[in-house]
Amino acid sequence: MRRIRRAKILATLGPASNEEKMIEELAKAGADVFRINMSHASHELLHQTVARIRNVEARLKHPLGILVDLQGPKLRVWKFAEGSINLVAGQKFILDSDKNDNGNSERVYLPHPEIIESVSVGDRLLLDDGKLQLKATKVGGGTIETEVIYGGKLSDKKGVSLPDTLLPTGALTEKDHADLLEGLKAEADWIALSFVQRPEDIIDVRKIVQGRAGVMAKIEKPQAIDRLEEIVKLSDAVMVARGDLGVELPLETVPGLQKRMIRMCRRYGKPVIVATQMLESMITSPVPTRAEVSDVSIAVFEGADAVMLSAESASGQYPVEAVTTMNKVAVAVESDANYRNIIRAAQTEPEATAADAISAATRQVAETLDLAAIVTYTASGSTGIRAARERPSKPIIVLSPNQRTIRRMSVVWGVHCVQTEDAVSLEDMVDRACVIAYQEGFARPGDRIAITAGIPLGTPGATNMLRIAFVRQDGAGSS
């Protein structure tokens, strides 16, 4: 199964798409990675879903990535005696630590002592996805007194967002810790960490993961934007989680932040995924709005590694149509006359390492000589990511003996991954690359391909060789 587009598609699985037949349909329609949202999945469902994805992968003979998305700390107000209240702009409202009484129009229990201790006078508290806004006027003695800035209906257990407050707690709750261990046990390829605030949040997760999966930072807090560069450097990949980002930051700043994050990730060679509300109307409609198509296309034009579907594929009425639409949009954008120029304009200088210099040179050689493909040998995946970071106009084939590396690369822009044994000699390496490029339909006899690898063979992260080879009539190679 060979994709003709470079941008990858992530599809969230849920009640509308958990069955094996539907997972297969989504993969055939274009989904490269499947997201399991631990806000809604039990451990039993997690293992069941992973088994179904792996069955589909074996049938299609095409690597499929699995992303386990941790819920993160969910902050909520407690219940009201009447089920809900109505807050009016200008009124006083108290959030306190008294759990004995249900809330009323004057106060409510807030079951998060860390919020009560951290909020300062003047800080904003956003309730119910930002629909209501409070401003802290007095704090202390286990209470936060607020003035209502934007009122409205507030019902039981609605979420609380704190755009101005740095919470002392880490991004990993007890539930997240248990879900993380279960995700590793199920051999997930990626672990996504929600509500990252600081680089230490990534370090904590890395200590537990120990290289068994890629660690993806979800950027959805203003505090993460303040330390974005440090977080990007420490992560294996980044998700632009525009939903919560748009609640805690002014909506008009999110498109600019999206561009900034995509460019920063490209500079550091980290895969970047654009997520949330990309085809939101397709939850209930078989066709998207024009604005949604434009939104997806902007992410692809910018050079994002992947675009993601959430409720559209998890609980919507048209999961296959949503993936098909995303696929069509990406293919159209990548065929556009302006696409190459826009991608090239955001090109970053290579780092001062042999591996980066070889990757940059490989792109240039492949385009100058009009080669059929770039073939990279990689153990850890880093060589493939470097090749993708260059955003070449030629196909990238990643060869690795490691199945987990192959699956993890399914989120990376433009790479076609094939599992193969390590080459035993330079001659074997050239032959193997040519045969696979021929078999996978990227090169014909008489074509030339570029091959990059680390010498001595099998040394992780030591890319130091670029070879140009002819594909012979029998599909093997000669250099």
Side-chain angles (χ1 to χ4, degrees), residues 91-335:
Q91 80 165 82
K92 185 171 123 180
F93 187 68
I94 293 172
L95 298 103
D96 59 36
S97 45
D98 179 8
K99 59 183 171 189
N100 297 318
D101 289 320
N102 283 331
N104 53 43
S105 60
E106 293 175 3
R107 61 155 295 277
V108 70
Y109 169 49
L110 185 64
H112 303 286
E114 69 275 18
I115 296 182
I116 293 170
E117 288 160 18
S118 304
V119 168
S120 305
V121 171
D123 283 3
R124 289 169 297 156
L125 292 91
L126 307 177
L127 308 177
D128 192 9
D129 286 341
K131 294 187 184 79
L132 296 89
Q133 185 176 316
L134 315 177
K135 185 178 176 183
T137 53
K138 186 178 172 185
V139 291
T143 65
I144 304 170
E145 280 188 27
T146 72
E147 179 192 345
V148 177
I149 307 298
Y150 297 120
K153 183 183 172 187
L154 179 63
S155 50
D156 294 349
K157 294 193 171 183
K158 285 298 178 190
V160 181
S161 299
L162 301 146
D164 307 324
T165 312
L166 181 67
L167 295 176
T169 51
L172 210 61
T173 63
E174 275 182 44
K175 170 181 161 49
D176 292 333
H177 192 271
D179 291 345
L180 169 57
L181 295 177
E182 212 61 36
L184 293 172
K185 196 166 148 191
E187 297 192 351
D189 306 297
W190 289 94
I191 302 290
L193 185 61
S194 299
F195 302 109
V196 172
Q197 291 191 98
R198 46 175 94 74
E200 291 77 9
D201 295 338
I202 303 293
I203 293 166
D204 292 344
V205 173
R206 278 205 171 287
K207 285 176 187 166
I208 301 165
V209 172
Q210 296 182 335
R212 288 175 284 171
V215 177
M216 187 181 289
K218 289 173 69 179
I219 308 296
E220 48 197 334
K221 299 279 291 177
Q223 292 81 2
I225 299 294
D226 295 338
R227 301 185 70 181
L228 187 60
E229 200 156 352
E230 296 167 83
I231 291 168
V232 168
K233 284 179 182 176
L234 283 167
S235 307
D236 294 311
V238 169
M239 186 189 289
V240 186
R242 304 178 307 176
D244 281 283
L245 204 54
V247 170
E248 300 209 8
L249 283 161
L251 275 172
E252 64 275 14
T253 65
V254 174
L257 284 170
Q258 175 177 315
K259 277 187 166 52
R260 185 177 144 202
M261 283 187 255
I262 291 172
R263 291 187 181 196
M264 187 180 287
C265 289
R266 272 188 69 185
R267 186 162 84 243
Y268 289 111
K270 303 295 169 91
V272 56
I273 293 93
V274 177
T276 328
Q277 296 181 330
M278 298 213 83
L279 295 173
E280 185 85 350
S281 67
M282 289 194 77
I283 295 170
T284 54
S285 165
V287 290
T289 66
R290 312 303 182 265
E292 286 165 344
V293 170
S294 182
D295 180 41
V296 174
S297 70
I298 285 167
V300 178
F301 268 123
E302 273 290 306
D305 287 80
V307 283
M308 191 177 101
L309 295 165
S310 300
E312 301 96 329
S313 59
S315 55
Q317 294 170 28
Y318 303 98
V320 177
E321 289 83 351
V323 173
T324 304
T325 299
M326 218 163 219
N327 183 63
K328 281 181 183 170
V329 173
V331 169
V333 168
E334 290 172 12
S335 310

Side-chain angles (χ1 to χ4, degrees), residues 277-479:
Q277 296 181 330
M278 298 213 83
L279 295 173
E280 185 85 350
S281 67
M282 289 194 77
I283 295 170
T284 54
S285 165
V287 290
T289 66
R290 312 303 182 265
E292 286 165 344
V293 170
S294 182
D295 180 41
V296 174
S297 70
I298 285 167
V300 178
F301 268 123
E302 273 290 306
D305 287 80
V307 283
M308 191 177 101
L309 295 165
S310 300
E312 301 96 329
S313 59
S315 55
Q317 294 170 28
Y318 303 98
V320 177
E321 289 83 351
V323 173
T324 304
T325 299
M326 218 163 219
N327 183 63
K328 281 181 183 170
V329 173
V331 169
V333 168
E334 290 172 12
S335 310
D336 189 275
N338 290 314
Y339 176 69
R340 274 280 123 217
N341 294 335
I342 293 169
I343 286 286
R344 188 64 70 240
Q347 195 77 40
T348 57
E349 287 298 310
E351 308 258 324
T353 65
D356 276 286
I358 291 282
S359 298
T362 305
R363 174 189 63 77
Q364 198 164 8
V365 166
E367 291 174 357
T368 304
L369 299 179
D370 195 22
L371 304 183
I374 294 166
V375 181
T376 72
Y377 282 86
T378 181
S380 64
S382 62
T383 312
I385 288 172
R386 279 193 186 92
R389 178 189 146 182
E390 291 296 319
R391 299 293 190 263
S393 59
K394 302 299 176 185
I396 306 166
I397 305 170
V398 170
L399 307 183
S400 180
N402 187 341
Q403 189 180 40
R404 300 199 73 168
T405 296
I406 292 292
R407 286 171 174 161
R408 205 179 292 184
M409 294 292 286
S410 53
V411 81
V412 179
W413 184 96
V415 299
H416 176 85
C417 299
V418 178
Q419 189 178 0
T420 180
E421 290 169 22
D422 249 339
V424 293
S425 65
L426 277 175
E427 191 184 348
D428 178 36
M429 185 185 76
V430 170
D431 273 352
R432 196 182 291 266
C434 289
V435 166
I436 290 171
Y438 172 66
Q439 286 174 343
E440 297 289 317
F442 290 94
R444 292 169 303 188
D447 284 345
R448 290 179 298 174
I449 62 169
I451 304 165
T452 67
I455 304 293
L457 295 165
T459 312
T463 306
N464 56 9
M465 189 210 73
L466 164 58
R467 196 86 171 250
I468 297 166
F470 271 101
V471 181
R472 297 200 310 253
Q473 290 303 318
D474 58 359
S478 62
S479 51

